[in-house]
Amino acid sequence: MKICLIYQHALGDGGYPRDVRWLATTLAAHGVDVTLVCGDARNTEGLSGVAVARLESIPRELGHFDLMHVFGLFIPAHMRVLEEAIRIGIPTVLSPMAVLMPLAVNRTRWKRIKKEAFVRLHAGTLSRVTSLHLLSQSESLSWSNIWRRSHRMFGQFGIFPPDPAAASAGVPLRRAAAPFVFFGRNDVYQKGIDILLEAVRVAESRCASADASIRLVIAGRPCLKSDQFIRARVRRLARQEAVSVLGALDTRSVYELLGSARALVFLSRFDGPPRPVREAISLGVPVIVSRETNMGEVVEAHDAGAVVPLDTDAVAAALLDVWRNPQKSEWWRANVPELKAALSWDRVVSQYLSGYREVVNVPGH
């Protein structure tokens, strides 16, 4: 099978570019003839055995491929190539990568206006996509009627091995006094930090005065005015020592922090799927996640953590349960290796290959 993967930012830095590079490399290792089409950035980490082409040159070569997979919706250059592939009859797969989830679209009025205008402009092309690649059954779509006739293909992104230099220092497992941890960009809205802090306040209010305080550590670089927001919310706590804010950390410090945690807590309103959650799993750490992370189904299937709604009371109850019953997180921890194996890139790519075969055989293609 000859597959063309298209992502303008594939040779850039960040989570999604790395995911697409590793997906391309693992597909090639499984015998697929892969061409990665992208812009002119230079980060090739993880890329091997894959032909690379520039985005502006690819329309002339599309006829050589059995299938084209486009990652990212709101990128005008992607739409031009998608239109051409549909015109000449190549089966197409489109990955929105969580940007159509309602809480992403409705983050601000201006974001909704821009996204709605883009979707309306390209509705004719989008409605003719052969298949939508969704990260999980939880990846809901705004304007879903556009794709009501499209095939659905599901596939996660895999996990990455821990950095050897940082991991070799050893990860302390001080579980008896371990905190809950949020690690990642401190985007208060997208990452649900506001919900998490309110849940800690509610949990604290339900603790007897003699109880040990629930402890949450928030780490990662600030986003917009997140540091001011978090400080203001912490001041509302009866016991302000319940929350510590560490800011950005180096890799070794992140591993030590995660290794000492009962669970990573990640309550994204939309995400696909969060890199910190996958990092925690790679280190053997249980996770408490929202379904909107698009990782709830796999976490639940392997009993390697908890899946909670974006509801303050429900999150508070989950935190209290784990805090009062440390054996629960130990049980999850014992199950994390199976989840880690399920999210290996080899296992993940087998799902993509199965999905690609279905797409190629969709009637009309």
Side-chain angles (χ1 to χ4, degrees), residues 41-348:
R42 292 290 182 266
N43 187 343
T44 59
E45 180 272 333
L47 198 60
S48 176
V50 175
V52 177
R54 290 178 63 88
L55 189 55
E56 58 267 27
S57 69
I58 201 61
R60 297 190 298 272
E61 304 173 11
L62 283 177
H64 300 296
F65 298 108
D66 300 308
L67 179 144
M68 187 179 80
H69 188 165
V70 176
F71 294 86
L73 175 58
F74 296 112
I75 302 176
H78 287 185
M79 291 299 104
R80 292 193 293 272
V81 181
L82 194 58
E83 288 168 4
E84 178 62 13
I86 291 170
R87 186 187 70 80
I88 64 178
I90 297 173
T92 52
V93 179
L94 174 64
S95 298
M97 298 196 293
V99 297
L100 285 176
M101 295 180 75
L103 292 176
V105 169
N106 295 316
R107 180 167 186 165
T108 67
R109 181 173 176 272
W110 178 235
K111 282 186 179 293
R112 181 174 182 86
I113 289 172
K114 289 196 298 182
K115 290 184 177 182
E116 187 169 17
F118 188 97
V119 168
R120 284 183 175 178
L121 177 64
H122 297 286
T125 298
L126 296 174
S127 65
R128 296 168 64 198
V129 167
T130 312
S131 181
L132 274 181
H133 163 231
L134 302 179
L135 296 157
S136 78
Q137 296 282 352
S138 299
E139 188 178 358
S140 53
L141 300 170
S142 300
W143 309 293
S144 57
N145 61 304
I146 291 176
W147 294 278
R148 64 183 179 277
R149 296 179 181 175
S150 298
H151 174 270
R152 297 288 197 274
M153 170 182 151
F154 295 91
Q156 280 283 347
F157 290 133
I159 62 174
F160 302 98
D163 181 275
S168 65
V171 179
L173 300 177
R174 300 181 295 274
R175 297 176 194 166
F180 295 103
V181 170
F182 169 88
F183 164 67
R185 185 179 75 254
N186 289 183
D187 186 325
V188 170
Y189 178 81
Q190 183 185 358
K191 308 303 182 182
I193 294 173
D194 53 342
I195 299 170
L196 178 55
L197 288 171
E198 183 63 13
V200 169
R201 188 189 68 78
V202 171
E204 282 284 284
S205 71
R206 295 175 182 172
C207 288
S209 58
D211 285 351
S213 174
I214 283 181
R215 293 198 297 118
L216 167 69
V217 174
I218 296 176
R221 61 183 175 85
C223 178
L224 302 176
K225 297 181 179 180
S226 62
D227 50 346
Q228 298 175 30
F229 177 92
I230 293 169
R231 281 198 302 268
R233 289 300 178 96
V234 169
R235 284 196 294 268
R236 296 173 56 188
L237 297 173
R239 290 182 277 194
Q240 294 183 19
E241 68 274 12
V243 177
S244 302
V245 182
L246 301 184
L249 301 176
D250 60 31
T251 302
R252 177 176 174 177
S253 298
V254 169
Y255 288 0
E256 290 177 348
L257 176 63
L258 289 174
S260 69
R262 291 189 187 178
L264 175 80
V265 188
F266 218 90
L267 307 177
S268 293
R269 286 178 166 91
F270 56 94
D271 233 323
R275 187 168 171 176
V277 175
R278 289 180 281 161
E279 283 191 306
I281 292 167
S282 76
L283 293 167
V285 179
V287 295
I288 298 173
V289 295
S290 61
R291 291 201 180 276
E292 288 79 3
T293 60
N294 284 302
M295 294 198 72
E297 292 158 24
V298 291
V299 170
E300 205 166 47
H302 292 86
D303 198 10
V307 183
V308 293
L310 294 172
D311 174 80
T312 298
D313 287 336
V315 176
L319 296 179
L320 281 171
D321 187 27
V322 176
W323 190 250
R324 290 168 173 165
N325 303 291
Q327 68 274 13
K328 182 179 288 287
S329 62
E330 292 303 310
W331 172 266
W332 290 340
R333 193 179 298 270
N335 295 332
V336 172
E338 289 188 9
L339 174 56
K340 181 177 178 179
L343 291 175
S344 69
W345 279 100
D346 282 333
R347 293 270 291 275
V348 164

Side-chain angles (χ1 to χ4, degrees), residues 18-35:
R18 188 186 192 195
D19 287 325
V20 173
R21 292 195 301 267
W22 277 61
L23 175 62
T25 293
T26 313
L27 283 168
H30 282 248
V32 178
D33 186 338
V34 180
T35 298

